[in-house]
Amino acid sequence: MTDQEKAIYLTYLNIRHSISVLLIKLVVIDFMIAALLISFYFALVRGEEIVNIALTHTYLFLVVFGILGIIKILTTSYVVLQWLYEYYEITPDEIVHKNGIIFKKIEKYRFDNIRAISLSESFIGELLNFGTITLYDIRMQKYLDMYLIHNPKRYYKVIKELNPDIEYKTDETIIPLLTHAENGGERE
């Protein structure tokens, strides 16, 4: 392959947070609502035994079950919409961070002003293929964290190729529970 065949031609590229992180958030929401529902049910059953009141709690249970169902639907919808409406757009000239469901916010970072890039992944991120790319914009004096994006090594490479003058920091994988000496003298 020639260098011209290896070159990246890009009009724009959308990057979202990792689908793995979205699924983890949705599973946590399901477990929390289930725990609340089970707790309420046992409180209702045990409360009747303690007070010795022979009331039918069917209506109360159905109302609480309905309210928790609505809370679950609203929370799940919010998490999915937040995932859909927050993304990074890479063009040949800049990186654009767009977010907001109702109130849209757009931040633009030109490649001319980006001076440093680094990639970090946790151990779980390495397994599930998500991580964070951090960029430093010298004009704004500000860091942009492309947080929990899927396939970060691929996008790190794309950004490197689009801006060859950028200062690269070493890739790092953060492995929990290693001491300073076990980690080869690197930071924990």
Side-chain angles (χ1 to χ4, degrees):
M1 249 185 192
T2 65
D3 287 338
Q4 189 174 16
E5 290 173 347
K6 290 182 185 178
I8 296 177
Y9 297 102
L10 177 73
T11 54
Y12 73 93
L13 179 67
N14 283 342
I15 304 172
R16 296 195 188 283
H17 288 243
S18 174
I19 192 87
S20 304
V21 175
L22 174 65
L23 290 175
I24 290 169
K25 287 179 182 179
L26 294 176
V27 167
V28 167
I29 290 170
D30 281 347
F31 277 121
M32 287 175 50
I33 295 296
L36 285 173
L37 189 60
I38 291 169
S39 300
F40 176 73
Y41 176 75
F42 280 115
L44 193 62
V45 169
R46 295 291 179 193
E48 182 179 292
E49 289 176 5
I50 293 171
V51 180
N52 291 328
I53 298 175
L55 296 174
T56 58
H57 296 293
T58 306
Y59 295 116
L60 180 61
F61 180 75
L62 289 176
V63 167
V64 171
F65 184 77
I67 290 171
L68 287 175
I70 290 170
I71 290 171
K72 180 185 180 298
I73 289 169
L74 291 174
T75 307
T76 301
S77 299
Y78 175 74
V79 167
V80 171
L81 287 173
Q82 185 181 25
W83 181 80
L84 281 174
Y85 285 99
E86 181 171 2
Y87 60 95
Y88 305 93
E89 191 173 280
I90 298 178
T91 67
D93 299 324
E94 63 190 3
I95 296 176
V96 181
H97 179 209
K98 297 180 179 181
N99 65 352
I101 297 170
I102 296 171
F103 302 105
K104 308 279 184 199
K105 183 178 176 187
I106 298 174
E107 295 177 336
K108 295 182 178 186
Y109 300 86
R110 295 198 46 82
F111 279 121
D112 304 349
N113 300 323
I114 294 175
R115 293 292 181 255
I117 182 173
S118 66
L119 169 67
S120 62
E121 295 177 294
S122 65
F123 180 69
I124 294 173
E126 184 83 27
L127 292 175
L128 298 176
N129 196 21
F130 65 85
T132 300
I133 296 175
T134 303
L135 304 163
Y136 180 69
D137 188 319
I138 197 158
R139 182 182 59 84
M140 289 200 233
Q141 302 276 323
K142 177 177 176 179
Y143 286 95
L144 165 66
D145 287 325
M146 298 171 74
Y147 186 65
L148 297 178
I149 61 172
H150 71 285
N151 206 354
K153 291 178 184 172
R154 174 180 174 220
Y155 299 120
Y156 183 75
K157 181 182 173 189
V158 167
I159 293 169
K160 276 179 162 182
E161 290 183 15
L162 286 171
N163 190 357
D165 297 331
I166 200 167
E167 174 190 331
Y168 307 110
K169 296 192 177 177
T170 57
D171 301 347
E172 60 183 55
T173 300
I174 301 168
I175 301 174
L177 304 176
L178 283 182
T179 63
H180 187 66
E182 291 172 337
N183 200 14
E186 296 177 13
R187 72 168 204 207
E188 292 181 33

